[in-house]
Amino acid sequence: MRAGAVERFWARVSKTETCWVWTGGKFASGYGSVKWNGKSRRAHRVSAEMVIGPIPEGLEVCHRCDNPACVRPDHLFLGTHAENCRDRDDKGRNVAPVGERCGASKLTESQVMAIRADKSSTTKQIAAMCGVHVDTIRNVLNGRNWRHL
């Protein structure tokens, strides 16, 4: 590891009171992306390697802070994939988005409430008004979708 590469790495980090945020390129997942030893790598893994050395086979670099862009060494720890998943689940970060928070949703909560309150229209009529398939309306009415309402 060349000294210049280390300095260039840390030059792309904004140190706040909490996290040290990677300001360089990022993967779509939000993790920092850095060219390191000729390979595209996740910045938090490079940070961990600089501090603790090579990451043993089968271990992942996990975040205590749950900020994918954070490269602060004391926010990082090693764990197996199962431990990383357990940490994620324990912190409630594996909850699938529901309702309007789901990017694929074509209906709003107010539409769903109106659909359920409508006792005079057919499912086909409601589907046409909402611009969705009739099965979507059936799933709303029978509680298969939008269960949280």
Side-chain angles (χ1 to χ4, degrees):
M1 179 169 16
R2 297 184 325 267
V6 172
E7 280 134 16
R8 281 192 305 279
F9 178 91
W10 292 113
R12 294 186 192 140
V13 174
S14 172
K15 294 181 180 179
T16 69
E17 287 185 30
T18 53
C19 293
W20 294 1
V21 181
W22 181 254
T23 61
K26 291 190 176 94
F27 291 102
S29 59
Y31 290 95
S33 171
V34 63
K35 194 78 143 184
W36 195 257
N37 294 331
K39 295 180 183 176
S40 182
R41 306 274 313 280
R42 288 187 175 199
H44 71 289
R45 289 183 64 88
V46 173
S47 173
E49 287 175 352
M50 282 192 271
V51 174
I52 64 170
I55 299 165
E57 185 74 27
L59 292 184
E60 298 179 356
V61 178
C62 312
H63 286 88
R64 284 186 177 86
C65 60
D66 298 327
N67 179 355
C70 182
V71 296
R72 185 173 177 164
D74 62 340
H75 283 199
L76 307 174
F77 65 98
L78 298 181
T80 65
H81 182 68
E83 290 167 336
N84 197 13
C85 289
R86 192 173 316 111
D87 178 61
R88 174 202 64 205
D89 294 345
D90 289 348
K91 293 174 180 173
R93 289 184 291 110
N94 195 32
V95 178
V98 295
E100 292 179 44
R101 292 182 315 199
C102 178
S105 178
K106 294 182 180 178
L107 298 172
T108 65
E109 289 186 7
S110 60
Q111 285 177 306
V112 170
M113 299 306 285
I115 289 166
R116 289 183 177 156
D118 186 343
K119 303 299 181 201
S120 61
S121 302
T122 66
T123 54
K124 189 173 181 178
Q125 290 170 328
I126 296 170
M129 286 187 292
C130 295
V132 296
H133 194 275
V134 69
D135 288 341
T136 301
I137 302 304
R138 284 190 190 114
N139 288 337
V140 166
L141 291 172
N142 68 23
R144 197 171 299 140
N145 292 352
W146 295 84
R147 282 180 228 170
H148 65 287
L149 294 181

